[in-house]
Amino acid sequence: MSHYIIMGICKMSLRLGGKGCIIAVILLLTGVSIVPDLDANRTFNNTIYVDDDNIGGPWDGTTENPYQRIHDGIGAASDDDTVYVYSGIYYENVVVAKSIKLIGEGRDTTIVDGNETAFVIKIDADSVTLCNFTVQNSGIESSAVGGIMVESNCNSITNNNVYDNCIGIHLIHSNNNIICGNEISFNLIPGIRLLNSTNNIISGNIVDSNGLDVLQYYLVPGIKLEQSSNNTLLDNIFSNNAVGISLTYSSNNNIISGNDVKNNEYGGINLTDSSGNCVSGNIISDNNEYGIYVDNSPDNKIVQNNIIMNKRNAYFKDCDNTWDGNYWNRFRLLPYLILGKIDSKLRMEVDWHPSKIPNEIVSNPFAIIETNMGTMKLELYKDKMPITVENFIKLANDGFYDDLVFHRVIDDFVIQGGGYYANGTHKTSPYGSIELEIHPSVRHVDGAISMARTSDPNSATSQFFICDGKQSFLDDNYAAFGKIIVGIDVLRDAASVETTTKYRMQDWPVDDVIIESVTTLNQ
């Protein structure tokens, strides 16, 4: 299973054998040219260097005279600069208040140690990249202190080790961040905590052995979401924590998919007071008390997981949810009964179609469609519709769909977009048309995304539509290639807007429904 998605800038360590050998790599990463600095006391490109070995100075941020402290390197930087930190141990509490790339020479050898006081690294600016560090030993004087604390947006935290802190990575009122490829272990309370944070991507991380030293260890998860919605937890490993994943206090409409949740001391996944979440395609195994515990959390979808060898596989309390297609320990010919309680009385929910064999955990891509009416998250069926999905991903990655509109909207039928700007200007795909692709198990269900075309079956290019309600008559004639997982309410709102005739086209919304961006994950 792949553990890495977009943001490949930091997938590899930059250790190249010598501190003087990395200039070309930095230029490659940042794409900058060497220009004179306006400060006459230092001249370098947009990369500032830091080396704890430069004890006696001079210090000007060049490769010959790097700063000794990370704090000083950041102080000398401007937005969009890179601060490159050579291997060493830096006893600092680092504040990043500029939109920079902060890159270590190697995640195991470039160590920022908080010396058990306060945070270790705090990110206050938007659009920061933090990559290739070991971040350790925050203070424990407050339950809000983190090894990496983030109170800003659109940051990338990748390929770091986060060890022995109070909280490993702590996002507070922080949106649209990517937390990818990190190892987060031996932190006192949650390995990752999201508080009032939305639209974050948590992917490809190893979150292991957090919260085990706390007296009431069963309250401490590997990752905890509090009042945090529309986040994506994808292809992570949550193991040997007190609890694997915990969603609480109205953490709604999150996607939990493709994760390996195993060997946690108390439980695997805990949903409390949270609704509308999609828990799909996970392996939930060998947890000491329960696999999934759902408490006062209605309308969640728990589908196509492998739930095996937990002391109790599932339990619910005071809520109704959808359970379907899960594999429960062994071959099941009959529906699987899930025991729970409602109003203190014994009740049962049913997985009507339990999988007879372990589900193949396919890491399909996801798409996040941001509109001016809200966000829709979709699974794209690359395993069944590879040509169609690849075409859509290429266009999305190019930014092709940004600022286009849904130009054709028909309530109880479809919303169609991907070909026109709000002023009626047509936009043509640079990749041309694709052949019609059909799969018998991919149907035009409610929320399905499919390719629009002309009367020629092989004429689809960039335009797509999303079904507002089941549209079975389109099956085998149009290429459905995914489905909304989170955000069906946004589809309903978009489909019900008032329409008129514009630019000689009927059913154009009076007030434009704008596609602000399309982002794809786990490609």
Side-chain angles (χ1 to χ4, degrees):
M1 186 182 300
S2 169
H3 292 302
Y4 294 92
I5 56 171
I6 56 177
M7 303 300 292
I9 181 175
C10 297
K11 284 186 177 178
M12 296 187 298
S13 169
L14 299 182
R15 288 172 286 179
L16 297 180
K19 295 182 178 179
C21 299
I22 52 79
I23 300 173
V25 177
I26 289 292
L27 291 175
L28 179 63
L29 281 171
T30 59
V32 300
S33 58
I34 298 176
V35 296
D37 191 89
L38 295 178
D39 184 347
N41 294 320
R42 60 185 178 93
T43 57
F44 46 83
N45 62 3
N46 289 349
T47 299
I48 294 106
Y49 297 89
V50 179
D51 190 346
D52 66 329
D53 290 340
N54 187 15
I55 298 172
W59 303 287
D60 61 11
T62 61
T63 54
E64 295 81 10
N65 302 305
Y67 291 107
Q68 185 183 7
R69 300 172 66 235
I70 298 171
H71 170 78
D72 294 328
I74 295 173
S78 300
D79 287 345
D80 300 320
D81 283 353
T82 294
V83 176
Y84 186 87
V85 183
Y86 290 116
S87 295
I89 301 179
Y90 298 82
Y91 292 97
E92 299 187 48
N93 304 109
V94 176
V95 177
V96 185
K98 301 173 182 178
S99 300
I100 62 170
K101 297 179 177 68
L102 182 59
I103 299 177
E105 185 178 1
R107 67 186 289 172
D108 298 320
T109 58
T110 311
I111 301 168
V112 187
D113 191 307
N115 206 23
E116 299 184 355
T117 59
F119 54 84
V120 185
I121 298 176
K122 187 169 185 283
I123 300 176
D124 288 337
D126 295 339
S127 303
V128 170
T129 293
L130 177 68
C131 174
N132 278 359
F133 289 92
T134 290
V135 180
Q136 64 185 33
N137 291 332
S138 77
I140 59 172
E141 64 273 13
S142 166
S143 61
V145 171
I148 301 172
M149 296 187 65
V150 184
E151 298 187 44
S152 53
N153 306 313
C154 303
N155 303 292
S156 173
I157 300 171
T158 63
N159 205 42
N160 301 286
N161 301 323
V162 187
Y163 300 150
D164 296 306
N165 302 285
C166 185
I167 299 172
I169 300 176
H170 195 182
L171 274 60
I172 305 170
H173 297 283
S174 186
N175 309 317
N176 300 302
N177 301 284
I178 294 173
I179 313 296
C180 174
N182 304 283
E183 184 173 330
I184 305 161
S185 301
F186 309 113
N187 298 287
L188 184 64
I189 44 179
I192 305 172
R193 183 190 187 207
L194 275 63
L195 177 62
N196 287 307
S197 297
T198 63
N199 291 322
N200 298 286
I201 299 164
I202 316 294
S203 179
N205 302 284
I206 298 173
V207 185
D208 182 87
S209 300
N210 298 282
L212 297 180
D213 292 331
V214 180
L215 180 62
Q216 292 182 311
Y217 64 83
Y218 57 86
L219 298 177
V220 180
I223 183 169
K224 186 173 186 179
L225 277 63
E226 301 175 61
Q227 296 177 310
S228 295
S229 299
N230 294 305
N231 300 286
T232 300
L233 281 59
L234 179 67
D235 283 358
N236 302 281
I237 297 174
F238 297 98
S239 60
N240 301 305
N241 305 286
V243 175
I245 300 170
S246 177
L247 275 61
T248 62
Y249 303 119
S250 299
S251 292
N252 306 322
N253 300 322
N254 299 284
I255 293 174
I256 303 172
S257 182
N259 301 285
D260 192 355
V261 186
K262 62 186 179 182
N263 296 317
N264 294 288
E265 187 66 26
Y266 188 74
I269 298 177
N270 184 353
L271 307 179
T272 302
D273 300 320
S274 300
S275 63
N277 299 288
C278 179
V279 181
S280 68
N282 302 281
I283 301 173
I284 307 164
S285 66
D286 299 291
N287 297 288
N288 288 347
E289 289 296 326
Y290 60 84
I292 301 182
Y293 182 91
V294 189
D295 184 1
N296 193 35
S297 298
D299 301 320
N300 298 286
K301 295 179 181 178
I302 303 164
V303 297
Q304 296 180 342
N305 302 281
N306 293 334
I307 308 173
I308 52 180
M309 301 304 293
N310 304 283
K311 184 175 180 180
R312 174 181 283 184
N313 279 327
Y315 185 79
F316 71 94
K317 183 179 177 182
D318 295 328
C319 54
D320 294 311
N321 294 281
T322 298
W323 307 75
D324 191 63
N326 300 289
Y327 177 76
W328 304 91
N329 280 340
R330 59 177 176 82
F331 176 91
R332 304 276 174 180
L333 184 61
L334 299 175
Y336 183 80
L337 303 180
I338 300 124
L339 297 179
K341 289 183 178 180
I342 295 180
D343 296 329
S344 301
K345 296 180 180 179
L346 186 66
R347 293 289 187 270
M348 289 185 297
E349 291 196 323
V350 183
D351 185 339
W352 291 104
H353 310 100
S355 180
K356 296 178 174 59
I357 59 173
N359 289 295
E360 181 182 1
I361 304 301
V362 177
S363 295
N364 271 324
F366 288 82
I368 301 174
I369 301 178
E370 300 277 2
T371 79
N372 61 331
M373 299 188 71
T375 301
M376 295 177 282
K377 294 185 178 181
L378 304 91
E379 181 179 3
L380 307 179
Y381 302 141
K382 189 174 182 179
D383 57 328
K384 300 179 177 69
M385 303 291 289
I387 296 172
T388 310
V389 169
E390 184 62 30
N391 177 70
F392 184 83
I393 287 175
K394 286 194 299 183
L395 291 166
N397 288 350
D398 289 348
F400 179 90
Y401 292 115
D402 297 359
D403 300 319
L404 301 183
V405 297
F406 287 102
H407 63 275
R408 184 183 182 218
V409 171
I410 304 175
D411 198 13
D412 296 323
F413 181 36
V414 301
I415 63 172
Q416 180 176 330
Y420 292 91
Y421 288 101
N423 64 3
T425 300
H426 182 254
K427 189 174 185 180
T428 302
S429 169
Y431 301 113
S433 60
I434 57 174
E435 64 183 77
L436 177 64
E437 193 174 28
I438 299 295
H439 193 283
S441 68
V442 183
R443 307 282 87 180
H444 287 81
V445 298
D446 187 20
I449 183 171
S450 184
M451 293 303 294
R453 60 172 177 82
T454 68
S455 58
D456 179 356
N458 299 314
S459 61
T461 57
S462 65
Q463 291 191 42
F464 62 90
F465 60 87
I466 302 175
C467 295
D468 181 30
K470 185 178 180 180
Q471 311 296 336
S472 299
F473 73 96
L474 300 176
D475 293 343
D476 301 319
N477 292 299
Y478 290 82
F481 61 98
K483 179 186 174 183
I484 290 178
I485 300 297
V486 173
I488 200 75
D489 56 325
V490 177
L491 169 65
R492 298 283 186 261
D493 290 344
S496 62
V497 300
E498 183 182 355
T499 61
T500 186
T501 298
K502 284 186 183 180
Y503 314 114
R504 299 183 180 180
M505 286 180 276
Q506 296 179 339
D507 305 311
W508 192 297
V510 172
D511 296 317
D512 289 314
V513 182
I514 301 170
I515 302 170
E516 295 176 345
S517 66
V518 179
T519 304
T520 59
L521 316 177
N522 198 37
Q523 301 168 30

